[in-house]
Amino acid sequence: MTDQPSSPLNDSAFLQDLRNQMLKFARLQLKDEHQAEDVVQEALAGALRNAEAFARRSALRTWVFAILKHKIADSLRGQYRQAAVFDDSACNIGEDGDDQLFDERGHWQADERPQHWSTPQSLVHNRQFWAVFDACLNRLPAAQARVFMMREFLELESAEICAAAEVSTSNLNVLLYRARLQLRECLENHWFAEPQGKSR
Amino acid sequence: MMNCREATRLMSEARDRRLNLMEKASLKVHLWMCSGCRNFDGQMDSLRDLMRMYAHEDDTVDSGKPDDRSSGVEK
């Protein structure tokens, strides 16, 4: 191992921070804390074995997360094969949750009608925004969060998610719909409709 | 006539599968008339973009860097 001061590997604060971010991702997708720790450990160890090539932190981080994605996907596939049934709450998809959003004819309640979001792309470096985003993601019910992350973070196709999570296509559609509905509402209420969100 | 609940569900599904012609047509008509749902449609795109940024947060939540916000706006 080279001991250049610039190597991100010598920066324990950076590594700790990286590990925390990885854990955060893993926990959203795996219900078991130990399992989350395990995949992060494996991904980090695997990545660091060859990490000397990565002088830039962002390059290392991107690479480590790419490995983590695969570890989580593998772990999920194994988990669902073992469990054979998806979490109970996944099947429990009544009409709860959006009753406050729509009126009895299925139209937006006046105060729930989606607003225009100004330039979300400009938020990429805004730490406050990502804290809100994190909080909103963490608020999703576990079953919704899992399939949402499989779809939007791991970027798996619906068919793959149905197979891995053992849900029907229609259940998956409902879970993803509810996750998106809730996430957009949370972001709108806590960011885009707030003064700091509106001002950008 | 399609309502907002149905329209939003279709807009979500459109991100996971190809809608058929009938669905596309009814959605289009609804969006024409409903600004709330038009905003929702844009937000679905934003959500996907934001998730991509979140997943590849190279420098988004970089450590150790002081916050460059200088506006003094508190949450």
Side-chain angles (χ1 to χ4, degrees):
Chain A
M1 185 175 294
T2 53
D3 269 292
Q4 292 159 351
S6 63
S7 169
L9 293 178
N10 296 331
D11 184 342
S12 62
F14 167 74
L15 288 180
Q16 186 58 44
D17 187 54
L18 182 60
R19 188 170 172 279
N20 288 341
Q21 286 179 31
M22 293 167 78
L23 267 177
K24 185 180 75 186
F25 279 126
R27 282 197 196 108
L28 271 173
Q29 294 159 89
L30 301 166
K31 27 181 178 180
D32 188 276
E33 176 71 27
H34 295 298
Q35 207 178 4
E37 300 259 2
D38 283 351
V39 291
V40 168
Q41 219 52 52
E42 277 177 43
L44 210 51
L48 295 186
R49 223 170 288 140
N50 302 296
E52 283 166 47
F54 294 89
R56 279 176 53 239
R57 287 161 187 225
S58 59
L60 175 62
R61 180 175 282 145
T62 303
W63 191 48
V64 168
F65 270 90
I67 295 175
L68 182 61
K69 273 168 80 158
H70 288 294
K71 296 274 179 206
I72 291 174
D74 284 350
S75 190
L76 281 170
R77 289 190 188 106
Q79 179 181 318
Y80 292 121
R81 222 172 284 130
Q82 272 174 10
V85 264
F86 197 56
D87 198 296
D88 256 351
S89 50
C91 310
N92 195 0
I93 42 175
E95 285 299 307
D96 61 297
D98 61 4
D99 287 342
Q100 315 96 296
L101 299 179
F102 301 106
D103 65 20
E104 67 283 356
R105 291 176 309 136
H107 294 293
W108 292 108
Q109 302 276 14
D111 55 348
E112 298 289 358
R113 191 172 298 132
Q115 303 172 18
H116 178 69
W117 288 3
S118 58
T119 59
Q121 286 72 18
S122 67
L123 295 168
V124 66
H125 295 300
N126 189 317
R127 292 164 67 96
Q128 279 193 328
F129 171 74
W130 291 110
V132 171
F133 193 83
D134 249 350
C136 287
L137 263 182
N138 281 306
R139 226 190 250 188
L140 293 178
Q144 288 177 23
R146 235 169 287 137
V147 294
F148 180 75
M149 292 301 272
M150 288 170 101
R151 181 76 188 104
E152 302 291 351
F153 176 58
L154 302 180
E155 296 179 34
L156 300 180
E157 294 300 322
S158 296
E160 293 179 279
I161 303 173
C162 287
E166 306 203 353
V167 286
S168 67
T169 307
S170 63
N171 273 14
L172 176 67
N173 287 342
V174 175
L175 286 169
L176 288 174
Y177 171 61
R178 294 205 179 292
R180 289 171 176 141
L181 204 60
Q182 189 172 328
L183 197 52
R184 70 143 291 279
E185 205 212 348
C186 184
L187 289 175
E188 183 155 306
N189 289 345
H190 295 96
W191 185 267
F192 290 101
E194 294 283 312
Q196 84 274 24
K198 271 182 175 164
S199 66
R200 16 205 88 234
Chain B
M1 194 52 135
M2 180 179 282
N3 64 28
C4 300
R5 191 197 296 268
E6 292 156 352
T8 50
R9 191 179 280 217
L10 270 189
M11 285 186 271
S12 171
E13 287 188 24
R15 269 76 193 173
D16 308 311
R17 68 172 173 93
R18 198 180 278 278
L19 299 185
N20 66 38
L21 278 179
M22 187 63 194
E23 291 169 325
K24 275 188 201 167
S26 353
L27 184 58
K28 203 167 195 171
V29 172
H30 180 91
L31 288 183
W32 214 23
M33 303 180 305
C34 178
S35 65
C37 283
R38 279 201 299 279
N39 286 338
F40 183 93
D41 201 36
Q43 291 172 5
M44 290 298 99
D45 290 336
S46 299
L47 221 46
R48 182 155 281 178
D49 291 347
L50 289 168
M51 275 308 292
R52 297 244 154 98
M53 292 187 219
Y54 184 76
H56 306 285
E57 54 178 337
D58 291 30
D59 304 306
T60 40
V61 195
D62 207 2
S63 60
K65 249 192 237 161
D67 200 338
D68 57 3
R69 287 170 55 83
S70 50
S71 62
V73 178
E74 293 301 322
K75 261 190 85 181

